Structure formats: structure tokens, C-alpha cells
Amino acid sequence: QVQLVESGGGVVQSGGSLRLSCAAEVTIFSLYVVGWYRQAAGKEREFVATTTDGGGTNYGDSVKGRFTISRDHGKKTVYLQMNSLKVEDTAVYYCYAMHIRARENYWGQGTQVTVSS
């Protein structure tokens, strides 16, 4: 079984920062590509960022230069540092993991991020 538990969401003013955390309850953390997606009200789920065990990263165009994804292998935790937040970043943020060999996808329950003007 794979469990992904997000935390760290909240309300922040535009220009502010938040750090999201995702605790991954998995056996071998290094076998997963991990990352974040988000879904704003009335919108489809949008890619935010992913990272591989080797440290490679990918970011959605809308967050490049503002968000940073990282992973703590010892804690089996994925982080998303969000800086210079915009109102448009308001969404439910979902932790994501894909087993690189089985190609199985897993999702957390989501954490709400609200950016006020």
C-alpha cells in the first residue's frame, strides 16, 4: 500500500510564501518519481512539479522561478517551497507519486492553498 499525506496549506497574502510537505508511506522511496499537482475551483488538475531520485526536476511554466521541489530521503518526505505567491496559485495541491517500474500512480488527499490579494 502507498499512502501520501499532505500538510502545510493555508491562507497567505500575495507575495508571501508557504511550504507544503508530503509524507510518503512507501517501502522504497527511491523507486518513485514524486511531485505536486494542483486543481483550482472549476479547473482541471494542473502539473506543478516533479523530481526523480537522482535530483532531476520539472516545473510547470506558471511556477518556474517561484516554486522549488525537494525530497528528504531519510524522512521519505516531499516538499514544495512556494515563494512569491500569486492569487492565481489558489488551489488544492495534491502530492503525487509514480512507481518507476510498475508505472503505478498514487495521489494524496490534497491541501488547500489560498492566496489573497
Side-chain angles (χ1 to χ4, degrees):
Q1 293 185 346
V2 174
Q3 300 288 328
L4 304 172
V5 182
E6 303 98 331
S7 62
V11 181
V12 65
Q13 285 188 302
S14 62
S17 298
L18 284 174
R19 189 181 73 161
L20 305 183
S21 299
C22 172
E25 299 177 4
V26 297
T27 303
I28 305 176
F29 192 46
S30 61
L31 290 179
Y32 295 86
V33 173
V34 295
W36 298 88
Y37 285 69
R38 67 187 184 186
Q39 188 167 21
K43 304 290 186 179
E44 294 186 356
R45 192 166 295 187
E46 176 190 19
F47 171 74
V48 175
T50 53
T51 184
T52 66
D53 184 62
T57 58
N58 287 293
Y59 294 93
D61 289 340
S62 63
V63 306
K64 287 180 180 177
R66 300 187 298 119
F67 292 10
T68 302
I69 188 170
S70 61
R71 61 196 294 171
D72 185 322
H73 296 276
K75 295 182 178 180
K76 297 182 180 180
T77 299
V78 186
Y79 302 99
L80 185 69
Q81 179 66 47
M82 304 185 294
N83 298 326
S84 301
L85 282 162
K86 304 175 181 179
V87 172
E88 306 94 271
D89 296 318
T90 295
V92 177
Y93 284 71
Y94 295 92
C95 185
Y96 164 82
M98 182 190 75
H99 193 286
I100 61 175
R101 295 178 182 176
R103 304 298 298 273
E104 297 173 334
N105 298 323
Y106 304 93
W107 298 92
Q109 292 183 329
T111 185
Q112 176 71 46
V113 172
T114 301
V115 184
S116 65
S117 60

